Structure formats: C-alpha cells, structure tokens
Amino acid sequence: MSDIGVSLFLASRSIRRGNRGTFVLTVMIIALVFVNLVFLPSIISGVVEIFNRQSIDYTYGNLVIEPKENDLYIDDVAALKRKIDRIPGVAGSSPHIQIGATFTYRGKAIPGTVVAFTPQYEKEVTALHTAVTSGDFLSDGDRDQIVLGVLLAGEEDESKDRIESLGGVKVGDSVLVTFTNGETRDMRVKGIIETMAVQADRQAYVTTGEMEDVLGISDQANQILVRTVEEGNEEEMKVALMSFGVQETIKTYEEKAQGFVTDAIQSFDIINAISTLVSLVIAVVVVFIVIFISTVGKRKQIGILKAIGIDERIIINSYVIQVAVIASLGTAVGLVFTALLTLYLTANPLIFPGGAVSPVLEAGQISRSIAGLFAVSLVSGYIPAWKTAQEPILDAVRG
Amino acid sequence: MIVARDLARTYMLGAVPVRALRGVSFTIEGGEFVGIMGASGSGKSTLLHAMGLLDVPTAGTIEIDGTDVLALSGREKTRFRLNRLGYVFQDYALIPELTVEENVVLPCLVRGVPREECLGLSREVLRDVGLEGRMDHRPAELSGGEQQRVAIARALVNRPAILFADEPCANLDSATSTTILDLFARLNEEFGQTIVMVTHEDWHIRYFCRVIYLRDGLVEREEPCRTKKRRRASPDRETAVDDDRLPGDV
Ligand SMILES: Nc1ncnc2c1ncn2[C@@H]1O[C@H](COP(=O)(O)OP(=O)(O)OP(=O)(O)O)[C@@H](O)[C@H]1O
Ligand SMILES: [Mg+2]
C-alpha cells in the first residue's frame, strides 16, 4: 500500500469510528460558512442584474448615442435613425429629447425631467409601454398629453410617497408643465407608468411632436437609445456602430448607469469582503479547534504510530484527508442549503428600491468559495496535526 | 546483533541532571532471548528506548546488525524501526480506532507490501498469538492479556530482526503472563527470534538465556545463557515449557 493509501486508511477509520457528533457539527459549520460566503454575493449579483435589466428596459436601452462634444443636439436624426437601424445586430432605436421642467398640480410645484419620444419607435427599444398601471401609453399623434412616472404622480396620502411628488395625480387630471425655456403647457395626464426603476418612475413622457413644438426644433434629439439583438455584446456593438459611420458619442448602458450603480456595488463589495473575511476566520477557527482537540486527544495514538515506524507525513496527511472530507461534505451540504435558500428567495423575492431581487448564483463565486474554504480548512487542519506530530515519541506515548 | 558502547542518558529536571544511564556496554547476539532486570529507576526502560530508537542517548554508540543507528536521520530511524525492530509497550499501546486485525496489519501496509500479502501475514501472527478468532474486535473489547498479545502480534508482523518488550507482563496476572512468556520462548526457539525484554519478576528469569542486571544506570552483572535443558529441568516450569498447545488456547 502506498503512503497516501495508508493515510487514507487511517483517515477513513478515524472518521468511521471517531466521534460522530463532532464530525457532523464540523460539517454543518463548514456548510453554514459556505452559505454565508455565497449568499451575500448572490444577492448583490441579483441587485446588479435587476439594475442592468431596468437600465436597459426602462432607461437606456443597450446603447445611448449622445451629441458630439460641445453640441447640444444630434442633427438629422431621422437619417441617423435609418442608418442605425440597418446595422446588423441592431433591433431598433428611439431618438429622445430630454429637458428640465417644473410640474404644477393643485398649487404644488415639483421640478423634474420630461422625455420626448416617438411612441412607435420607443416600443422598439424600451418596455415603458408595458409598465402602464392606469390609463394608456402615448400614441404617435398625441398632443397636450403626458404620461407620468408613478413616483412623480405620487399618492394622495403623501406619507406613502418615497420622494416628493405631485400628491396623487390621476389619469385625466391636468398638470401644468413649465419647460426650462419658459414655455408652458397645460397637459392632460394620459397614463401612469410604474417600472420600479427609480429614474424612469420620476420622469414624465410626451411625444416628439409635442416637444418639437415646445422647443421650436425639428429633426433633432439629445439622445438616441439603441436596442441590440443580443445582450452582453454592447462593447462590440459600440464598435460596430462607429465603423458604420456613427460619429456621435456612444455609451453602453453600463457607462451611462455608472456613478450610481458603481458606487452601490463598491459599497456592497466592501460589505461582502468583510463578511467573507469573517466567514473564513470562523472556518479557520472552527477547523483549527476541532482538529487541534482531535489531535491533542490522539497525542498518544500519534506517538504510537510514530513508534511503530510510520512516517510523520503519513500521519499528518491522514488528518489533512479527514479535514478534506469534512470540507467536501461541508461544501456539499452548503450547496444544498444555498440551493434551497435560492429556491425560496426566487419564489419570495426580496424587495429592493430597484425592484424584486432574487439571488443570482455565479459559478465563479461558488468555485472561489469552495477553493477558499478548502484552503483555510487544509491549513488549519495541517498545523495542529503537524505540531502534535513534532512531539518526541516518548512524551506522546506516555500521554 | 546489538552492540552498545558506553551508553549514557542524562535527563534534565530543571537544572538538576538525572543520570539514568551512566555508561552501559554489552553485546546481544542474534537469536538470544535476553532479560534486562534491575531495581525500579535503574534505567531499564531508558536503555530499551535507546535500543528501540525511541529516544536518543546523551553519549555512546549503538550498532544494530552493523548499522550505527544513532547516526541515522529522524526519517531513517523511523524506517529502521518499521523494517527491523518490533517494540511492545508496557501498556499495549494499541490504536483504539482500529480493529485487532487492522492494528496488526498496519505496520505491514506502511512498508508498501500489497494488502493481500499483509492480511495473510497478520492472520499468521494473530494465529501464533492465539487471537485468530478476535480479528474484528476493537481493542477495548479485549482483556489485558489479549491486548498485549495483539501488541506482540503487531510487533512481529514485519518479522523484525529484534523484538523489544518493556515489562510486557506488568499489568497481567501470572497465568496470562505465562502465556505470553511461552509465546516469546516459542518464537525464540522455533524462529530464532532475538528478544530483549525488560522485567522485574524473578520467575521470568528461567525463560531468558541471559540476563543483564542494571543498577543505578550501570551494568551490575550479566548472568550467562542458561541452556534449554536447565530451563526444562526446573520443576515449577514443567507445564509452561513442555506445553505444546498454542499460547492462546487456554
Ligand atoms: N523523562 C524523564 N525525565 C526525567 N527523568 C527521567 C525521565 N525518564 C526517566 N527518568 C529517570 O531516569 C531514571 C531511570 O528511569 P527508567 O524509566 O529507565 O527506570 P526503570 O529501570 O525502567 O524503572 P521501572 O522499573 O520503575 O520502570 C529514573 O531515575 C527516572 O526518574
Ligand atoms: Mg521502566
């Protein structure tokens, strides 16, 4: 039998005939540490995913084309849109005109943003039209009609509002809109949309025709949202657009959403790093104590093995193998726990400001957690075994 | 053959030196069954530990079958113990997590001998010590005498050149002691097994072919080899020595 075979033999007997309770307890602790290592990152991934989803679906599409530096508007928008739509990989595009405005309702004035688009085009890119909770979405020829985000419309009971609102605007009500260029319009509320994306829910929406009338411009836009056929290849599509002659600034939804999301993710990452560290320290301490107690209890036995003529390395390895078995079972049980928790939270998602968040398990995170747990377990199993095996034989055998 | 020259071992108890061995020299030939005797504290265990490579003497040399064993590295000593020596501790020193068979087979497996062969060898030595029926028991389920026989079987499984035994009968009643001494005598006579055994029981002397007496860490005297005939002649030994039964069949 090879040396490692002897180590395996000793380890298997020790596990089979050693203390069940300690074994199960250690496995459970490793399992819980594993859950802890995987769970928080999976929630963060869930938040990031929902954020990206909403950025794409309600705010930016996949790509946003903006005026060249020093320009206020993109000119010849109709032609540019036609050009973009012909590029392979583009599913659709929607020119936007955005401008600041003050909304007045029942004597209450709230500053905000009005976004203008052609509804028919908008449906190619965003899912705003699917988020109407009352009334209707805009139609192409609409004039003096406005769609409000639910946070802007607000609740009659202001205590239910999460941010300052108009205090419960209903479909059919009139809202006075004062644009930043001084123009004023009395507009009928056609619909209310609720997307759960904070930015989309705080804006108001009108048709391009309406906005051109207000601003006295035509065939201009200050954003063109682009929907790509595939997701995840935004960077390549950006290059594709440039190579097809789009000279304006192109940003991916991630670049647009930066600031806010990156800050949030950075904070999450710090929390996560602390939690990971604490989990691993717990794993180290527990495995160390368990193996330490186990090897100290087996001091005499280790002395006997050495006296018989068994190499220290074989003895130490038998403990390392035991720890590896514990770590394997622990991570396996931990995976089961994580799967159950994920199933539960997918059925009952956590509600975040951005929407309902389900944990997203990432293979990378899971393998990193497994690797981390194994590494700390093996080290914290090795050290006490090594230390005990260093003792002079006679001291150990005397007990 | 063991050649010990000027062996000394000084323990330090704090700042106080305890001189357990103070210059012990002797030669033990292959095939001898040697007893080491002496008062408590005379250094018997210390001497056996030194010969068994379990402890390092402060001074002197030990040669076993031509090897200067004190010059070996730690790992080489471990190998030497495994391949050449068998050691029986006073308190059995069995591994509680292993069955009788596993305890005995372990030193053989460690040598890299194929499993089947080891199982065969361990079955053989367990038969020699009369425990073939107890192979699947755990040490805790055996009597003191049975455990001591397992320890002996374990020490013998690798067919060691020398078997060391430190008071192997100290915890046993005289009937069980007799069984074990008979086993040693048979191994010595039939297989020419070299045995070095520590004891303080005078009635064990009749089993030895030579006795080394220690006193205060020095060899006090050596009694020459007794012949087999003389041992057999001793009247109170009749039953034990002439008994042809296997030692375990009590
Ligand atoms: N680890 C130790 N530290 C200090 N002194 C020791 C140690 N081991 C043995 N001694 C001392 O060395 C001397 C010889 O001890 P040893 O165990 O060899 O005696 P022994 O002949 O085997 O006695 P016994 O018949 O009681 O077993 C004793 O005085 C003992 O106190
Ligand atoms: Mg002693």
Side-chain angles (χ1 to χ4, degrees):
Chain A
M1 195 181 266
S2 64
D3 284 4
I4 197 73
V6 175
S7 300
L8 276 167
F9 172 79
L10 289 173
S12 74
R13 294 310 181 275
S14 196
I15 290 171
R16 279 225 304 260
R17 304 194 184 124
N19 189 324
R20 267 294 127 72
T22 316
F23 184 80
V24 171
L25 194 72
T26 321
V27 167
M28 291 310 284
I29 288 169
I30 300 280
L32 294 179
V33 168
F34 178 82
V35 171
N36 202 23
L37 283 175
V38 170
F39 181 67
L40 192 59
S42 80
I43 293 293
I44 294 172
S45 299
V47 170
V48 169
E49 189 173 280
I50 211 116
F51 235 101
N52 289 340
R53 187 76 270 130
Q54 291 185 331
S55 291
I56 294 172
D57 283 352
Y58 300 119
T59 320
Y60 299 119
N62 299 91
L63 296 170
V64 178
I65 299 171
E66 293 184 336
K68 288 174 233 168
E69 231 179 315
N70 304 326
D71 285 358
L72 217 50
Y73 288 103
I74 302 168
D75 297 325
D76 297 326
V77 167
L80 184 57
K81 174 173 161 56
R82 277 197 301 279
K83 177 152 104 185
I84 292 167
D85 288 349
R86 278 200 305 270
I87 298 173
V90 170
S93 61
S94 175
H96 278 197
I97 306 168
Q98 275 193 33
I99 185 170
T102 304
F103 307 96
T104 314
Y105 178 71
R106 288 189 189 156
K108 198 170 171 192
I110 302 261
T113 305
V114 180
V115 177
F117 47 68
T118 307
Q120 183 201 332
Y121 297 159
E122 187 66 16
K123 289 174 189 172
E124 294 173 7
V125 179
T126 69
L128 283 174
H129 61 282
T130 63
V132 178
T133 50
S134 69
D136 293 300
F137 197 61
L138 293 167
S139 308
D140 282 358
D142 284 349
R143 279 300 158 90
D144 295 328
Q145 309 228 48
I146 193 164
V147 166
L148 298 181
V150 69
L151 295 178
L152 178 62
E155 303 266 353
E156 254 171 282
D157 178 358
E158 284 186 30
S159 66
K160 287 185 189 158
D161 279 344
R162 282 190 283 168
I163 49 178
E164 173 119 81
S165 77
L166 293 174
V169 181
K170 295 276 170 301
V171 170
D173 289 348
S174 267
V175 174
L176 186 71
V177 184
T178 311
F179 295 90
T180 41
N181 68 345
E183 285 287 317
T184 300
R185 292 282 191 286
D186 206 10
M187 293 188 167
R188 183 187 157 273
V189 175
K190 188 177 185 189
I192 308 276
I193 59 167
E194 180 170 12
T195 66
M196 300 290 278
V198 179
Q199 192 181 335
D201 285 348
R202 289 173 76 166
Q203 292 174 334
Y205 304 90
V206 299
T207 59
T208 304
E210 178 86 45
M211 189 65 96
E212 285 180 342
D213 191 38
V214 168
L215 297 176
I217 59 170
S218 87
D219 207 17
Q220 286 185 313
N222 48 18
Q223 272 190 343
I224 302 176
L225 272 48
V226 180
R227 169 72 82 167
T228 57
V229 177
E230 276 176 55
E231 243 156 50
N233 65 343
E234 282 79 9
E235 288 296 335
E236 292 139 58
M237 285 307 295
K238 191 165 140 179
V239 175
L241 257 62
M242 289 194 278
S243 70
F244 274 87
V246 177
Q247 283 158 10
E248 283 73 12
T249 314
I250 308 170
K251 290 180 176 166
T252 66
Y253 72 90
E254 277 172 315
E255 288 164 339
K256 282 299 288 180
Q258 245 172 17
F260 188 81
V261 183
T262 353
D263 285 356
I265 291 176
Q266 258 169 18
S267 315
F268 271 138
D269 280 348
I270 292 168
I271 297 171
N272 192 29
I274 295 170
S275 150
T276 299
L277 197 71
V278 170
S279 305
L280 287 180
V281 167
I282 292 173
V284 168
V285 170
V286 168
V287 173
F288 192 92
I289 290 176
V290 167
I291 297 297
F292 186 75
I293 290 175
S294 161
T295 52
V296 164
K298 288 179 182 165
R299 219 175 130 223
K300 184 177 167 110
Q301 177 163 328
I302 289 174
I304 295 166
L305 292 172
K306 281 169 65 180
I308 293 173
I310 298 180
D311 202 284
E312 272 168 32
R313 279 185 301 188
I314 294 179
I315 300 168
I316 295 169
N317 282 344
S318 83
Y319 284 94
V320 171
I321 289 168
Q322 289 181 54
V323 173
V325 169
I326 289 172
S328 310
L329 283 176
T331 43
V333 174
L335 271 172
V336 172
F337 283 174
T338 309
L340 292 176
L341 198 61
T342 306
L343 280 180
Y344 175 80
L345 286 175
T346 307
N348 311 279
L350 301 167
I351 304 304
F352 271 66
V357 170
S358 307
V360 175
L361 293 177
E362 284 175 353
Q365 180 62 34
I366 290 178
S367 37
R368 272 197 304 281
S369 303
I370 293 177
L373 260 182
F374 261 82
V376 301
S377 301
L378 293 185
V379 169
S380 46
Y382 181 90
I383 292 171
W386 174 80
K387 253 197 98 42
T388 314
Q390 290 309 300
E391 241 193 318
I393 294 175
L394 290 178
D395 295 354
V397 171
R398 284 201 195 95
Chain B
M1 185 166 90
I2 307 171
V3 183
R5 287 192 203 93
D6 301 321
L7 283 186
R9 177 67 165 103
T10 306
Y11 295 105
M12 292 306 293
L13 277 182
V16 185
V18 179
R19 302 176 70 193
L21 295 177
R22 300 192 290 161
V24 173
S25 302
F26 56 81
T27 301
I28 294 172
E29 299 289 343
E32 277 194 286
F33 184 177
V34 175
I36 296 179
M37 300 190 71
S40 181
S42 56
K44 305 182 294 291
S45 296
T46 307
L47 179 60
L48 209 65
H49 292 151
M51 289 191 286
L53 308 192
L54 300 174
D55 187 30
V56 185
T58 325
T61 60
I62 303 172
E63 218 173 82
I64 297 178
D65 295 336
T67 307
D68 176 5
V69 290
L70 297 182
L72 299 176
S73 73
R75 180 154 287 154
E76 286 167 340
K77 277 184 188 164
T78 304
R79 280 267 129 196
F80 197 92
R81 282 200 298 274
L82 180 69
N83 292 323
R84 311 288 289 278
L85 310 179
Y87 204 102
V88 181
F89 286 92
Q90 184 173 322
D91 62 349
Y92 330 132
L94 299 175
I95 309 292
E97 283 164 1
L98 303 182
T99 64
V100 166
E101 183 175 40
E102 288 165 348
N103 263 288
V104 175
V105 86
L106 182 62
C108 180
L109 293 176
V110 178
R111 291 179 70 191
V113 177
R115 197 189 183 91
E116 283 312 311
E117 202 175 314
C118 286
L119 288 172
L121 286 169
S122 71
R123 232 164 272 145
E124 215 173 288
V125 283
L126 278 168
R127 192 166 352 98
D128 286 345
V129 301
L131 282 176
E132 67 270 47
R134 299 301 203 97
M135 296 207 295
D136 297 325
H137 287 252
R138 300 271 290 277
E141 298 160 3
L142 302 181
S143 73
E146 287 168 330
Q147 291 187 54
Q148 191 60 286
R149 279 185 279 159
V150 177
I152 292 166
R154 182 180 64 188
L156 291 172
V157 73
N158 283 338
R159 302 266 174 255
I162 303 155
L163 177 66
F164 295 105
D166 192 353
E167 307 207 33
C169 306
N171 296 333
L172 309 178
D173 60 36
S174 62
T176 321
S177 299
T178 304
T179 323
I180 285 178
L181 287 164
D182 286 346
L183 171 66
F184 280 6
R186 196 166 63 81
L187 288 166
N188 176 245
E189 280 164 29
E190 285 180 18
F191 307 109
Q193 175 72 56
T194 312
I195 303 174
V196 183
M197 176 178 148
V198 170
T199 184
H200 58 260
E201 297 275 354
D202 281 334
W203 66 270
H204 292 171
I205 296 173
R206 62 179 71 100
Y207 284 88
F208 305 141
C209 56
R210 187 152 63 102
V211 183
I212 298 172
Y213 286 94
L214 292 186
R215 185 192 175 129
D216 296 333
L218 288 169
V219 176
E220 184 187 30
R221 64 196 155 95
E222 288 189 38
E223 290 215 344
C225 219
R226 301 174 179 217
T227 64
K228 215 165 152 186
K229 274 268 171 297
R230 276 176 64 194
R231 288 196 317 173
R232 288 190 176 237
S234 120
D236 52 342
R237 280 282 308 132
E238 284 309 327
T239 43
V241 168
D242 289 341
D243 198 341
D244 276 331
R245 291 176 307 168
L246 285 173
D249 300 345
V250 199

